[in-house]
Amino acid sequence: MIKIRIPATSANLGAGFDSLGLAVTLYNTVYMEQAEQTDIASLDEKPVPAGKDNLIYLSAQKVYDLCGKPLSGLHIRQVNRIPMTRGLGSSSACIIAGITGANELLGRPFSPDELVNLAAEIEGHPDNTTPALLGGIVTSVFDGDKVFWVKQELHAGLYFYAIIPNFEMKTEKARSILPKQIDFSDAVYNLSRAALFSSSLLQGKYENLQIAVHDRLHQPYRLSMIPKGREVMEECYHFGAYAAYMSGAGPTIMAIVDEQKQFFGLHMRERLNEMGLQGWHLERLNIDNAGTMVYNEA
Ligand code: HSE
């Protein structure tokens, strides 16, 4: 039996659409072993697909197929702390669990780089899958075949507050509303801010982050699908966040906050309640620099 711990991820980071992402300290745990029959269940109250259409199983199957090894079945047990379809990388976590688990069960035929490539191929873009596997803040470019990436660790006095709405936003839907073409000036607007974001975060020039998270590729379209989303972002700045952006495809809003701002969470919680958003959930997270951990259990 192996145990896999996979971090949640926050992708795009504003302007870095399909490229930037970072891992945070909220984890799914998956237990996996090879078996004659497939048996998949949740260890918490969240239901999961119990058949071979389960994304963890499908991803594991891919590794077995690539190795030319038959797979009769898997026993899988899941603890899903990462909320599903909320923009925190829950599907990437399943993909990473499946491929790293299968890779371990087969004696590690694939290198970490090969797993990065395979995960991006399954997901279609690398901005959640790469940090979910490697941790830290990661810049990734997927050329359709291979991922070119740089991981950087962040050791800063920052909190990432995930402000999680009580409704889901499916990535396919959130991608389908995006424009097919954009203006040259909008492309420049985004690429300059994406570059500014990672260098400012890593160099501690946090005063740049508010400008760096602006974008013209996806947030304006997606925010309009989140009732009170813009107001929630404004409140994040009101209570002193360095930046607030839509995490991944949304609907979660992520606020980057100095750890000295001890009352940010309390103020935001009160404000959400005043706005009638009692069902929204708030998680105070740190960056996860370790990435996915695999343990062999007796
Ligand atoms: N970059 C992706 C998007 C992340 O924004 O659609 C969601 O998986």
Side-chain angles (χ1 to χ4, degrees):
M1 167 84 75
I2 56 169
K3 174 179 165 185
I4 310 145
R5 192 190 75 163
I6 320 99
T9 47
S10 181
N12 298 331
L13 307 180
F17 185 76
D18 276 2
S19 175
L20 298 180
L22 53 80
V24 287
T25 51
L26 177 67
Y27 302 98
N28 279 3
T29 307
V30 173
Y31 300 87
M32 187 188 285
E33 67 186 351
Q34 221 176 296
E36 284 308 310
Q37 303 284 327
T38 290
D39 177 9
I40 302 174
S42 168
L43 293 178
D44 53 29
E45 75 290 355
K46 295 180 192 150
V48 295
K52 291 186 175 178
D53 59 337
N54 179 292
L55 187 53
I56 300 176
Y57 187 94
L58 284 172
S59 305
Q61 174 82 64
K62 182 104 185 158
V63 171
Y64 275 77
D65 290 348
L66 286 169
C67 291
K69 302 273 187 199
L71 177 61
S72 49
L74 287 172
H75 281 181
I76 295 174
R77 293 289 178 269
Q78 300 180 222
V79 182
N80 291 320
R81 289 204 56 228
I82 306 172
M84 293 182 198
T85 51
R86 295 295 195 283
L88 289 166
S90 59
S91 69
S92 289
C94 291
I95 292 168
I96 296 297
I99 65 173
T100 53
N103 196 49
E104 190 71 18
L105 291 172
L106 289 170
R108 298 191 207 159
F110 292 118
S111 68
D113 262 317
E114 288 170 322
L115 293 176
V116 164
N117 295 340
L118 180 58
E121 184 195 314
I122 297 171
E123 178 78 329
H125 38 86
D127 48 335
N128 284 114
T129 50
T130 318
L133 184 63
L134 305 173
I137 168 167
V138 185
T139 307
S140 318
V141 171
F142 182 40
D143 72 358
D145 186 33
K146 180 176 159 47
V147 179
F148 299 84
W149 57 265
V150 174
K151 167 194 169 178
Q152 288 166 291
E153 294 192 5
L154 186 66
H155 299 277
L158 296 175
Y159 287 126
F160 292 79
Y161 280 88
I163 304 165
I164 308 168
N166 55 350
F167 55 88
E168 59 178 28
M169 190 135 113
K170 292 220 185 316
T171 299
E172 307 85 69
K173 166 84 179 147
R175 289 178 88 83
S176 71
I177 60 164
L178 302 181
K180 298 282 172 280
Q181 291 191 320
I182 55 156
D183 278 353
F184 189 85
S185 61
D186 290 344
V188 173
Y189 184 99
N190 261 68
L191 68 87
S192 53
R193 281 163 180 75
L196 184 69
F197 182 91
S198 35
S199 46
S200 298
L201 187 67
L202 288 154
Q203 291 295 319
K205 273 200 108 180
Y206 303 137
E207 68 275 18
N208 286 345
L209 295 179
Q210 182 167 358
I211 292 298
V213 291
H214 288 169
D215 103 288
R216 290 186 180 160
L217 297 190
H218 70 109
Q219 291 179 104
Y221 306 95
R222 290 168 167 177
L223 260 178
S224 61
M225 293 167 67
I226 303 176
K228 303 203 177 155
R230 282 178 213 282
E231 291 95 314
V232 170
M233 271 194 186
E234 279 162 22
E235 291 301 331
C236 292
Y237 289 114
H238 176 73
F239 292 122
Y242 286 123
Y245 64 90
M246 182 177 287
S247 183
T252 290
I253 291 167
M254 191 70 94
I256 306 177
V257 180
D258 197 296
E259 66 180 10
Q260 304 290 334
K261 298 235 175 270
Q262 293 174 16
F263 297 109
F264 179 87
L266 208 64
H267 288 315
M268 273 312 288
R269 182 68 269 166
E270 272 177 12
R271 196 69 197 99
L272 290 174
N273 292 347
E274 285 163 12
M275 292 168 82
L277 304 177
Q278 285 84 355
W280 289 35
H281 181 64
L282 200 62
E283 286 267 2
R284 191 183 77 180
L285 305 168
N286 290 107
I287 193 149
D288 167 286
N289 286 311
T292 292
M293 308 290 287
V294 182
Y295 310 90
N296 274 291
E297 305 250 302

